[in-house]
Amino acid sequence: MRDERRTTYPVLAVAIVAIAAFVILAVVVRINGTVYLDEKILLFFRDPENLAVPIGPRWLEQTVVELTTLGGYPVLVTLVSAVVGFLLVSGQFGPAIFTVGAIVSGTIVSSMLKYVIERPRPEVVDHLVHTFTASFPSGHATMSAAVYLTLAALIIRLVDRFIVRLYVLCVAILLTFIVGMSRIYLGVHWPSDVLAGWSLGTAWASLSWLAVSGLREARRHEKAE
């Protein structure tokens, strides 16, 4: 079994930075300190003569609408269910429990924060897709980060080659970035919502990894004794 202690400190550092970023954003948002920059960024993605129309060709808008579903619950639940199912039938019960626990708990925390903070959706531009919950933090950004980074961590545990691990991590980060940017382009989230979602999802995936690593290390010590 691979010694994971050498990766603990970098992951811990990522978790601390992500948590700090989320807390700072939450405080600044509560005092409306991001409104000016949020509005500027939202307007950047719209036609100045018609704010209902996003920049770029028509096909780009449709492409972004489809890409944003990569962070929606139907796609994420389907993906996680398929992965967990594979882990269960292959007898890897520990990783299956880790995956379900990390993602379900992340979903609960994200939903609770939306309910507590209750930030309204942006009204500066027209929404290009329907929304049903509060704005902060972005659920799509949070859960795409939590899910894709958690799955990346799961795969990284199973491979030794650095280039493979780097590729998996980059793909997870890219998917998370695409989902978050799609929410801004579609006008359904303030940019600060997305930044907070990325921070929260990254923190949750990192903390989940640290929790599992700690348990594995404790079990190794028990067996050694």
Side-chain angles (χ1 to χ4, degrees):
M1 187 176 296
R2 188 186 303 113
D3 185 1
E4 297 171 345
R5 286 176 292 180
R6 61 184 177 181
T7 60
T8 297
Y9 291 117
V11 175
L12 179 60
V14 169
I16 292 172
V17 171
I19 292 171
F22 177 82
V23 171
I24 291 171
L25 281 166
V27 171
V28 175
V29 163
R30 291 291 288 181
I31 61 175
N32 295 322
T34 64
V35 172
Y36 176 79
L37 187 58
D38 277 338
E39 290 183 354
K40 285 293 184 183
I41 296 174
L42 281 178
L43 293 174
F44 172 80
F45 289 100
R46 293 302 170 101
D47 183 342
E49 298 180 358
N50 185 356
L51 297 182
V53 178
I55 59 173
R58 179 66 180 175
W59 61 263
L60 177 60
E61 177 184 343
Q62 184 57 40
T63 299
V64 175
V65 169
E66 294 176 1
L67 286 174
T68 203
T69 60
L70 292 172
Y73 284 110
V75 171
L76 294 180
V77 169
T78 301
L79 175 61
V80 171
S81 298
V83 172
V84 170
F86 167 77
L87 293 172
L88 290 175
V89 298
S90 60
Q92 301 184 62
F93 300 109
I97 294 173
F98 158 69
T99 302
V100 172
I103 292 169
V104 170
S105 59
T107 303
I108 294 172
V109 170
S110 175
S111 299
M112 289 178 61
L113 287 169
K114 277 179 174 287
Y115 177 78
V116 170
I117 298 174
E118 289 188 312
R119 188 187 196 187
R121 295 278 179 167
E123 298 180 355
V124 180
V125 297
D126 290 21
H127 299 176
L128 302 182
V129 291
H130 295 296
T131 57
F132 306 98
T133 59
S135 195
F136 185 96
S138 165
H140 278 65
T142 301
M143 295 315 301
S144 61
V147 170
Y148 293 125
L149 292 177
T150 296
L151 295 182
L154 181 66
I155 296 172
I156 287 171
R157 289 176 183 276
L158 304 176
V159 297
D160 293 314
R161 293 184 61 191
F162 172 77
I163 189 65
V164 177
R165 296 165 124 190
L166 180 63
Y167 170 78
V168 170
L169 183 59
C170 287
V171 169
I173 292 173
L174 178 61
L175 289 172
T176 301
F177 177 78
I178 288 173
V179 170
M181 290 303 298
S182 73
R183 307 307 285 174
I184 299 172
Y185 182 88
L186 296 172
V188 294
H189 272 296
W190 302 103
S192 53
D193 297 336
V194 172
L195 285 174
W198 283 338
S199 300
L200 179 60
T202 300
W204 206 256
S206 301
L207 291 173
S208 299
W209 189 95
L210 289 170
V212 172
S213 295
L215 289 173
R216 288 160 67 99
E217 189 68 20
R219 288 179 181 175
R220 278 199 290 270
H221 282 302
E222 289 178 1
K223 291 180 180 179
E225 295 175 356

